[in-house]
Amino acid sequence: MMKTPATSDNRDPLAAIRTRTPARIFTGRSGSAYRTQTQLSLRSDHASARDAVQTDIDWEGDLGPDFLRAWDVFAVSSQARSKAGYLMRPDLGRRLSEQAQAEVASRCAVGADLQVVIGDGLSVAAVIRQVPHLLPLLHAGAEKRGWRFGRPFAVRYCRVGVLNDIGELLAPAVLVLLIGERPGLLTAESLSAYMAYQPRSGHTDAERNLISNIHAHGVAVGEAADRILCLAERMRRAQLSGVAVKEEFGVLAQNATSLLSDK
Amino acid sequence: MSYSTTVRGQRFSFADLREVFAKANEDKSGDRLAGIAASSEQERVAAKLVLADIPLSNIVANPLIDPAQDEVSRLILETHDQAAFRPLAHLTVGELREYVLDEDQASDRLGALHWAIVPEVAAAVTKLMSNKDLVTAASKIRNITRCRNTMGQPGVLGIRVQPNHPADDLGGILLSAVDGLLFGCGDAVIGVNPATDSVETVSRILHGLQRLIEVYDIPTQSCCLAHISTQLDSLERGAPVDLLFQSIAGTEAANTSFGINLNILREGRERVLEHHQSREVAWVGDAVMYFETGQGSALSANAHHGVDQLTLEARTYGVARAFAPFLVNTVVGFIGPEYLYDERQIVRAGLEDHFMGKLLGLPMGCDVCYTNHAQADQNSADNLLLLLTAAGCNYFMGVPCTDDVMLSYQSTSFHDALGARQLFGLQPAPEFLAWLEQMDIVRNGGLVTSDSSARQRLEEGVRLIA
């Protein structure tokens, strides 16, 4: 039979949990259907997400000329030529255009310890919201560790597979791609950091690591920077990336242990 | 054998079986992307006509992907029951379609065919079937599996509670799970996709889910859908693993891109079976694997060998069934418009996957879903949900109001589950239903209103565990 746990004397932690989860829970029902307000808010959020996917990035206007100048960021394109073409041809989004290859080769130094690349991906809003805060933290972290920080650049109509092309051109130790995630109903501001150690053509997801959900309800920018830098350290030590390299968290490990002894 | 035919005076010839298979498919953006789709509707139907006349023995004898180059092809050959196949060998693909649709072929008769049919044959017959054919044929096949409860019996529709959280907050995860339980969901599994694939995160989630299950004595399974290696590392450090999850694909190269191979799956399954025996749980069966699949994954990994995405999906099921899984679901709308362009293609693929999985003996469920860059919306998902419920799908996902706040896509909701069960007169898994009645979540076959005492009791558990 069911055992009801004894009441804890904490002050309503349940309310705190509810504010921590953005999930649409305990919304009520009308028969087996949603309440009308729920139904329409889902439609409204879907409309916003659909529109967000279609937005094209304007690097200068969206990130601001000051930011681009301060970080010496220049912009290139993948082989995709339009948003529609980008959505239907993943192969084109994974390759730098010929012009982009020439530009990257001439403007970036080969062999950086940490090379950061910015990609629009499926959400311009994510790039606008997160990158201006994240990039300086990555730069500071690299400097602190005495790493050569490659000149950052941005790729329009960018897919994750572009890591391989850039790896071939610039041969960085660790390459980080900050790319806009597919917008959801909750937010269009979610950014992913895809990371690879010495990426080369032919590498697949099995050789990559991912820190996803960088946004207000997920991983905060500061925490994301720490995790990217820690993972970069681990990759450099192990001289590889992907499924064989996993993140470790000292603090969280303690939590897991306390949960065990609580039993 | 020559692969050619004439349609209204126009001659169509196909170089080999692979080309016939690809061009006989219904239109899919992924097959176009691979450059193997039919170039006209007439060519498509010509390929279907040619395919209908090909004997099954011809397909078995001519693997589309060379077994010398691909361990999935070798597995398919090794697991083929040739004695059971013999009575079918002379049938053509067109005749097999009529055989599975024949009303004399009831569940047990079709069930006896599972290991006689290789994935490529299942794919071939699917290409000749209409959407309604796929629903009616699948509805005759029940594939029952057992772990901590029993899934797949007639009259049962299971639901996975998918309480994801963008920062893996355990309290948030458990509270979403409680919302699902109060809707009668969670019999298939309480399964969390972690935002972070680390041993610490996965262990914390597994311990938390297990405590919820233990405290309330819930006859269901928990799972954390991380990479198989992370789950096994967590197990070694003391985390409880009910179901071992992995995404799989239909070629060796695609599986390599997922960081797995058949041996990793084999060893993982053995490890979890051993682990189950060491735990004091009232197991009702020894199915321990949970697989997710989906058309287009091999092409996405550039590992498709020129074979169409429907056939590769069937081969994925050839992988899955070798490990006697408790749950398998296609995540049919997740991959994006490059592979399944719109509602029409997503609905078609969902029905194809479910039928093929059932024919090959799998406990087939479906994540009826769509992303926000596909030409689909919740109405599309409603349609596929109802079609697959009619087809006897084993389980769907339950996500709070469809909105997965971690994976950023829309699936089906707890409300959807309730609606589908009510409309078709279906119930949760029997052990789970008994628990729902005990908790007074279900009374006289219906859901008790949401302000029941069960909610207070379950929320109390979240307070304690989180």
Side-chain angles (χ1 to χ4, degrees):
Chain A
M1 226 3 244
M2 188 207 69
K3 303 166 281 291
T4 306
T7 312
S8 64
D9 56 6
N10 294 346
R11 265 175 307 250
D12 199 13
L14 211 57
I17 291 169
R18 281 206 67 161
T19 60
R20 285 207 305 269
T21 181
R24 295 167 209 243
I25 52 177
F26 303 118
T27 56
R29 61 189 175 93
S30 176
S32 68
Y34 303 122
R35 309 295 298 274
T36 301
Q37 195 191 359
T38 310
Q39 167 91 342
L40 293 179
S41 72
L42 289 168
R43 286 301 300 258
S44 162
D45 293 343
H46 184 239
S48 303
R50 296 280 291 150
D51 289 348
V53 169
Q54 296 304 329
T55 309
D56 256 315
I57 198 152
D58 164 13
W59 300 110
E60 184 109 357
D62 288 335
L63 290 174
D66 292 347
F67 175 82
L68 298 185
R69 208 172 307 117
W71 294 97
D72 218 9
V73 174
F74 64 98
V76 297
S77 268
S78 75
Q79 292 183 2
R81 300 236 172 122
S82 67
K83 190 62 112 179
Y86 166 70
L87 289 176
M88 295 309 289
R89 290 288 303 273
D91 51 329
L92 298 182
R94 291 179 193 133
R95 304 301 309 273
L96 290 175
S97 70
E98 236 169 78
Q99 195 192 339
Q101 292 195 30
E103 218 167 313
V104 167
S106 72
R107 299 174 79 168
C108 294
V110 171
D113 294 312
L114 188 71
Q115 173 71 51
V116 178
V117 176
I118 304 159
D120 52 357
L122 285 169
S123 174
V124 170
V127 172
I128 297 171
R129 188 82 179 85
Q130 316 299 349
V131 170
H133 303 287
L134 188 49
L135 188 65
L137 296 176
L138 294 178
H139 176 260
E143 202 141 77
K144 200 175 116 195
R145 288 165 177 78
W147 291 348
R148 277 164 303 167
F149 190 74
R151 179 178 180 181
F153 61 95
V155 182
R156 182 190 299 275
Y157 304 138
C158 177
R159 296 244 180 194
V160 175
V162 84
L163 284 167
N164 293 1
D165 252 14
I166 297 168
E168 290 283 345
L169 274 178
L170 297 181
V174 174
L175 180 52
V176 182
L177 174 64
L178 305 176
I179 187 167
E181 289 175 10
R182 189 181 55 224
L185 298 192
L186 170 65
T187 180
E189 295 182 352
S190 190
L191 188 82
S192 272
Y194 278 86
M195 299 177 62
Y197 182 78
Q198 298 186 347
R200 291 291 184 276
S201 73
H203 282 194
T204 69
D205 282 343
E207 283 104 9
R208 296 172 189 143
N209 294 72
L210 164 65
I211 295 169
S212 71
N213 280 273
I214 303 172
H215 61 94
H217 298 281
V219 181
V221 167
E223 188 191 338
D226 290 344
R227 285 175 58 186
I228 290 168
L229 291 161
C230 277
L231 203 46
E233 277 177 0
R234 292 175 67 84
M235 287 176 179
R236 289 164 59 86
R237 224 176 300 135
Q239 303 200 351
L240 52 88
S241 55
V243 290
V245 179
K246 295 196 194 299
E247 288 187 82
E248 280 187 14
F249 307 97
V251 180
L252 295 177
Q254 280 169 14
N255 285 349
T257 314
S258 72
L259 194 64
L260 261 176
S261 55
D262 196 29
K263 239 195 84 84
Chain B
M1 183 163 182
S2 99
Y3 302 110
S4 55
T5 191
T6 302
V7 178
R8 298 203 176 189
Q10 195 180 341
R11 188 88 182 142
F12 291 93
S13 289
F14 305 97
D16 53 20
L17 213 47
R18 202 183 310 203
E19 190 182 353
V20 177
F21 266 59
K23 293 191 168 170
N25 268 355
E26 297 296 299
D27 189 23
K28 304 267 177 63
S29 49
D31 289 335
R32 290 189 189 208
L33 179 62
I36 57 176
S39 54
S40 70
E41 289 307 313
Q42 284 214 332
E43 189 183 29
R44 188 187 322 285
V45 82
K48 286 182 195 284
L49 287 164
V50 168
L51 182 62
D53 288 338
I54 296 176
L56 305 187
S57 55
N58 183 323
I59 294 171
V60 171
N62 295 286
L64 297 183
I65 299 175
D66 184 358
Q69 287 176 20
D70 185 284
E71 66 170 357
V72 174
S73 293
R74 292 197 291 279
L75 177 75
I76 288 167
L77 287 178
E78 286 159 15
T79 52
H80 187 214
D81 184 343
Q82 298 192 20
F85 176 64
R86 215 157 291 129
L88 300 179
H90 66 282
L91 294 182
T92 63
V93 178
E95 288 166 344
L96 178 64
R97 174 183 167 278
E98 294 180 352
Y99 183 87
V100 297
L101 287 165
D102 190 316
E103 58 212 359
D104 290 340
Q105 303 306 328
S107 178
D108 49 339
R109 299 274 298 276
L110 290 176
L113 292 184
H114 291 331
W115 294 95
I117 292 178
V118 295
E120 287 82 353
V121 164
V125 71
T126 299
K127 293 165 197 280
L128 301 185
M129 293 169 76
S130 72
N131 284 9
K132 181 164 60 63
D133 291 348
L134 295 171
V135 171
T136 35
S139 75
K140 298 196 290 181
I141 311 172
R142 303 302 312 195
N143 296 328
I144 298 167
T145 54
R146 295 181 175 84
C147 183
R148 294 178 81 152
N149 63 22
T150 311
M151 292 291 302
Q153 288 171 324
V156 170
L157 173 60
I159 303 293
R160 163 186 164 190
V161 162
Q162 183 173 310
N164 296 344
H165 188 282
D168 297 318
D169 181 276
L170 185 59
I173 286 169
L174 293 175
L175 208 55
S176 289
V178 163
D179 190 24
L181 292 170
L182 291 167
F183 269 88
C185 300
D187 50 347
V189 61
I190 303 175
V192 176
N193 301 83
T196 297
D197 196 293
S198 75
V199 173
E200 288 83 357
T201 308
V202 171
S203 297
R204 193 163 43 86
I205 290 169
L206 285 171
H207 281 294
L209 295 177
Q210 206 56 226
R211 288 215 65 199
L212 185 71
I213 286 174
E214 278 171 15
V215 167
Y216 294 99
D217 221 355
I218 312 173
T220 192
Q221 302 65 217
S222 64
C223 186
C224 186
L225 288 77
H227 191 267
I228 189 169
S229 59
T230 318
Q231 294 168 81
L232 289 170
D233 285 352
S234 303
L235 187 158
E236 296 308 334
R237 295 201 209 167
V241 174
D242 289 350
L243 295 176
L244 184 63
F245 168 82
Q246 183 55 46
S247 292
I248 55 170
T251 67
E252 181 177 340
N255 283 328
T256 301
S257 82
F258 290 165
I260 60 156
N261 56 45
L262 297 178
N263 201 39
I264 288 174
L265 296 176
R266 207 171 286 127
E267 288 178 2
R269 175 169 178 267
E270 280 162 17
R271 183 68 193 91
V272 173
L273 278 168
E274 191 183 304
H275 162 75
H276 276 206
Q277 286 175 2
S278 72
R279 289 169 58 198
E280 288 184 24
V281 168
W283 308 105
V284 300
D286 60 1
V288 301
M289 301 300 286
Y290 173 10
F291 294 123
E292 283 192 338
T293 71
Q295 291 190 30
S297 61
L299 175 59
S300 169
N302 202 18
H304 61 292
H305 298 268
V307 175
D308 64 277
Q309 63 186 37
L310 171 63
T311 304
L312 294 173
E313 180 72 3
R315 287 168 54 93
T316 307
Y317 303 150
V319 173
R321 67 179 181 172
F323 302 97
F326 181 71
L327 303 171
V328 180
N329 62 261
T330 170
V331 192
V332 73
F334 193 75
I335 192 153
E338 316 89 305
Y339 307 91
L340 295 170
Y341 182 67
D342 58 6
E343 168 177 357
R344 184 174 171 178
Q345 295 186 10
I346 293 171
V347 167
R348 174 71 193 179
L351 296 177
E352 289 169 343
D353 294 354
H354 175 257
F355 166 72
M356 293 194 299
K358 284 286 170 73
L359 186 64
L360 292 167
L362 291 173
M364 208 60 201
C366 183
D367 187 347
V368 172
C369 64
Y370 61 101
T371 59
N372 292 321
H373 63 318
Q375 304 297 321
D377 59 20
Q378 204 60 41
N379 292 330
S380 325
D382 282 358
N383 293 347
L384 182 55
L385 173 79
L386 295 181
L387 289 170
L388 280 174
T389 310
C393 188
N394 279 36
Y395 65 96
F396 298 110
M397 308 298 131
V399 176
C401 297
T402 72
D403 174 16
D404 190 308
V405 292
M406 194 284 280
L407 292 170
S408 292
Y409 77 125
Q410 288 84 249
S411 181
T412 47
S413 66
F414 306 141
H415 295 76
D416 292 334
L418 182 62
R421 280 175 173 165
Q422 283 180 352
L423 196 55
F424 287 85
L426 302 172
Q427 296 286 2
E431 301 91 340
F432 192 81
L433 178 60
W435 176 81
L436 290 171
E437 285 167 344
Q438 219 170 65
M439 285 289 289
D440 203 28
I441 293 170
V442 166
R443 204 184 298 157
N444 305 321
L447 209 58
V448 176
T449 49
S450 61
D451 57 356
S452 69
S453 63
R455 175 167 170 184
Q456 283 174 15
R457 277 183 286 164
L458 288 168
E459 285 186 343
E460 194 51 45
V462 175
R463 210 188 301 255
L464 185 87
I465 299 165

